[in-house]
Structure formats: C-alpha cells, structure tokens
Amino acid sequence: MYKDYRKEPFAQQSRGLRNNNPMNLRPFKLLYNGQVGTDKDGHAIFENIIMGLRAGAMELRVNYKKGLNTLTKTIADFAPPNENNTNQYINYVSQQTGLAPNYVFTLNGQNVAKIMAAMIVQEIGSKYAKYITADEVREGIKPLLPIRLPTVQKPLSSFLFRRNLLYN
C-alpha cells in the first residue's frame, strides 16, 4: 500500500503533498496514470504519492524525447517565467544536481532522481519535501528507468545533501 498524503493533516498546507503531486503537474489533454482528479487551479490529484512521482518522471522522459535535454530547456518549459522565477529555479536545480544549466544530460535513473529531488524542493519547499522518501522516489521512477537508489527510508533531502546515497 502506497502512502496517500491526502489524508495527512500536515499535507493540507502544501498543494503538492495534498494532491500526491510533488511536482505540481497540470494535465493537458489526457489524464496521467493514477490521476483521480484536478484541484481548483488545474493541478493533478493522484491516488497516492508513487503515482504522482511516476507522472513527474514520465513528464521528464517525454520532454527529454522532445529535445528538452538541459536543465535550462527542461525547467523553462516546466516552470515558465509567467508563473515562476525560472532563472532562480534553474540555478537551484543546477546547484543541487551538479549539472550545469546548459549541459546536455543523459536521461538515466541517477539524473532523474537528482533532478526530481531538486525540483520537488522548488515546487513544494523543503519543509514538505522532507516527507517524501528516497524509497518513494525510487518506487515512482522504477518502471520508467533502470535505477540504483538506496532501499532505506531516507528523507528526500538526503538526495540533495548526501548525493552519494544515489550511487551506493
């Protein structure tokens, strides 16, 4: 049984946790797998956190195949300047992942996990990102990419501050 943050009192202050959608995705023409609705602002609501993480990883993969293969391209599309401080977002994700903004990254499990971890902190803040574990990220992206992540319950912040956990 996967965690459903919609039922957690602390999650009510964070749209991303409340919706099991830590990347604050908005569906376009089709619903994401595991999506059970949308909130009043059009953000997807997922049945559990794993499905929200899976949708985030799928979004990165689809965009990568469309040529959004640098942090600058990916984040400019994901977090446009009319809604976000896009340059600050890019710089934060670059700093946390060690990937230069215009470096053409390889889409592999390590990079997806690092990019998603940093994007989740940007989207919902470190106060709420700490509830999402490395195991949840691993489970969310497992069907999409070959990946090596820790199997211990570590907070998401461990991706950002102790990156070597991704490679053990």
Side-chain angles (χ1 to χ4, degrees), residues 17-79:
L17 281 184
R18 181 175 63 242
N19 291 346
N20 289 314
N21 181 359
M23 292 180 68
N24 286 323
L25 301 171
R26 290 186 180 130
F28 290 98
K29 296 178 183 180
L30 301 173
L31 295 179
Y32 293 105
N33 189 22
Q35 184 180 341
V36 295
T38 55
D39 68 14
K40 65 181 176 61
D41 297 317
H43 292 86
I45 301 170
F46 293 97
E47 63 191 52
N48 59 54
I49 196 67
I50 302 304
M51 297 312 289
L53 291 163
R54 190 163 296 159
M58 179 63 80
E59 192 80 15
L60 289 175
R61 186 173 82 171
V62 167
N63 288 342
Y64 188 87
K65 288 181 178 183
K66 292 190 306 188
L68 304 180
N69 55 7
T70 68
L71 293 179
T72 299
K73 291 177 185 177
T74 298
I75 295 168
D77 181 71
F78 188 87

Side-chain angles (χ1 to χ4, degrees), residues 68-81 84-103 105 114-115 118-123 160 163:
L68 304 180
N69 55 7
T70 68
L71 293 179
T72 299
K73 291 177 185 177
T74 298
I75 295 168
D77 181 71
F78 188 87
N84 300 276
N85 183 338
T86 306
N87 287 330
Q88 185 274 333
Y89 198 138
I90 292 166
N91 290 333
Y92 177 81
V93 173
S94 175
Q95 180 184 48
Q96 295 303 314
T97 62
L99 300 170
N102 294 310
Y103 171 75
F105 60 83
K114 290 190 304 185
I115 292 167
M119 289 178 76
I120 289 167
V121 171
Q122 275 296 119
E123 290 293 323
L160 302 178
R163 291 186 195 112

